[in-house]
Amino acid sequence: MPNPLEEWYLQLPLFTRIYTTGIVVLTLAIQLEWATPLSLFYTYHATFVQGEYWRLLTTFLFLGTFSLDWILNIYFIVRYCRDLEEGSYLNRPADFMWMVALMCTTLLAISPYLGTVFLGDLLVSSLTYMWSRHYSYLFINFMGLFTTSAAYLPWVLVAFSSLVENRWPVVDLAAIGVGHVFWFLGEEWPRRAESGGIRVLRAPRVLCKLMHQDLDDELDQVAAEEPTANVDSGDVAEATVDSELPTVEKADMHGTTASEKYYSSSDESTKQDFASTSAVEQTDPSPTLHQRTPFSHSLADHD
C-alpha cells in the first residue's frame, strides 16, 4: 500500500508531476555538486554554436538552491498548474502541453532582450497569471497578511518581489505579458465571432493522438463555415408565432370556457372552421350558469 506522499505524487497530473520532479532532481544535483548553474543557463552561443542543447530544458528547471523562494515556486507549480490541468484543460491535455511548449519558446526568444539566462521563474509567473485569469472569482490569503482576488495575485507578486529585491520588475512584467498573450489566444479569442470558433493554440493531431485527446477538427470547421442567417424582423416575428402556439382559456357570457388556439396561418379554410367551432361553443347553453368559479368570474369581468 503506498504511503500518503507517494499517493499524493501519483495523483498529480502529467505536466505538473514531470515538471516538479525535474526541478527537484536538478536542485538536488546542484546541492550535491553533480552539476553547476554555469552549465544550465541558456544563451544562444552556448546552446546552438557549442551544441549544448540541454540548456533549452535546464534553463526552465533551475529555480535556485533550496530556499524560501524555491519553496514558493514549487507551491505555485503544484497548486496552479494542477488546477489548470485538472480544471480548464481537463479534457485537453495535448492543448496544455502544446501551449506550455509555445510559451517556453516565446520566453527563449525574448530572453536576450530581458538580460536573463534562467527562465524558470518567468515560466512559473506566466502560468500563475493564466491561473489567475481562469480562477479570477476566487479569493486567496497572501502569506497571512491580507486577502485579495485571484485576478490580482500576479500584480501582488510583482510588487512583493520588487520591494524585497529592490529592483524594477521588468522581467516579471514580461512574464505576465507572455501569459496574457497565451491566455487570450487560447481562451478569449476562440469565443469571439471573428475567430470563427477556431482555436489558434490547438495541439497538432499527432500530439492529440499520443495523449489520447479527442480530435475536434470537424467541430471547429463547422463553426468556422457556419453562415450567419440574414433574417429580417418580419420573418423572425412570423417564425416565432408559428413555433409558439399558446392555449388561452376564455370565459363566455354563460360562464363556460372555450380553449382557443391562435395560429398564424394563411389557410382560410382553417380559420373558417375555427370560427364556426367557436360560434357553436358560444351558442351552447351552459348548465353551470349559477355555479361560476372565482377564476371564471374574474376572466368574465375582464371581458
Side-chain angles (χ1 to χ4, degrees):
M1 181 177 181
N3 56 52
L5 181 60
E6 182 181 357
E7 185 178 359
W8 169 83
Y9 175 78
L10 294 177
Q11 289 178 352
L12 292 175
L14 181 62
F15 173 78
T16 303
R17 184 167 67 248
I18 294 176
Y19 192 35
T20 304
T21 303
I23 293 173
V24 173
V25 170
L26 186 62
T27 306
L28 285 174
I30 293 176
Q31 290 293 124
L32 298 175
E33 297 182 353
W34 294 348
T36 62
L38 295 178
S39 62
L40 304 177
F41 65 83
Y42 166 78
T43 60
Y44 180 84
H45 184 270
T47 303
F48 297 101
V49 177
Q50 299 180 3
E52 300 176 355
Y53 297 107
W54 67 82
R55 295 177 182 268
L56 294 173
L57 180 63
T58 57
T59 184
F60 295 103
L61 298 177
F62 181 73
L63 297 176
T65 57
F66 293 110
S67 60
L68 179 61
D69 184 65
W70 186 89
I71 295 176
L72 288 177
N73 281 322
I74 291 294
Y75 171 78
F76 291 155
I77 294 171
V78 173
R79 168 72 187 278
Y80 302 142
C81 288
R82 181 175 185 173
D83 285 347
L84 289 174
E85 287 191 84
E86 295 182 345
S88 303
Y89 291 87
L90 177 61
N91 297 321
R92 297 184 293 153
D95 287 347
F96 183 78
M97 297 292 288
W98 181 247
M99 181 202 65
V100 172
L102 294 178
M103 188 179 295
C104 292
T105 304
T106 304
L107 293 174
L108 288 171
I110 66 175
S111 61
Y113 304 99
L114 299 176
T116 181
V117 293
F118 291 109
L119 305 177
D121 290 332
L122 276 71
L123 179 59
V124 174
S125 298
S126 298
L127 293 174
T128 302
Y129 176 84
M130 291 196 63
W131 177 88
S132 69
R133 297 307 301 261
H134 283 279
Y135 298 91
S136 58
Y137 54 88
L138 297 179
F139 286 87
I140 58 175
N141 187 282
F142 184 74
M143 302 179 65
L145 299 177
F146 56 89
T147 301
T148 182
S149 172
Y152 300 111
L153 176 62
W155 309 106
V156 172
L157 294 175
V158 168
F160 181 77
S161 62
S162 300
L163 293 175
V164 172
E165 300 178 7
N166 193 20
R167 61 176 176 83
W168 289 102
V170 178
V171 177
D172 299 319
L173 293 177
I176 289 178
V178 172
H180 180 76
V181 169
F182 280 89
W183 169 81
F184 177 82
L185 294 178
E187 302 299 327
E188 184 67 21
W189 173 252
R191 300 176 183 175
R192 300 198 173 189
E194 55 267 25
S195 68
I198 299 177
R199 297 198 310 270
V200 180
L201 301 181
R202 183 178 52 194
R205 298 177 62 91
V206 176
L207 185 59
C208 291
K209 293 181 179 180
L210 182 64
M211 302 193 69
H212 306 288
Q213 176 178 319
D214 294 335
L215 299 176
D216 51 359
D217 295 336
E218 296 180 358
L219 297 178
D220 292 340
Q221 185 177 3
V222 170
E225 297 178 356
E226 183 178 0
T228 302
N230 296 322
V231 184
D232 56 12
S233 58
D235 296 337
V236 173
E238 183 178 357
T240 304
V241 174
D242 290 339
S243 61
E244 298 181 359
L245 304 175
T247 301
V248 180
E249 296 292 329
K250 185 177 180 181
D252 60 6
M253 60 181 297
H254 298 288
T256 59
T257 60
S259 298
E260 298 179 359
K261 290 186 177 180
Y262 296 90
Y263 296 87
S264 176
S265 173
S266 59
D267 190 355
E268 295 296 335
S269 61
T270 303
K271 294 182 180 180
Q272 293 176 1
D273 294 341
F274 180 76
S276 60
T277 303
S278 299
V280 171
E281 290 180 356
Q282 291 181 359
T283 57
D284 184 19
S286 174
T288 58
L289 179 62
H290 302 289
Q291 299 178 0
R292 303 171 65 186
T293 62
F295 178 70
S296 60
H297 185 275
S298 61
L299 291 176
D301 292 340
H302 284 291
D303 292 336

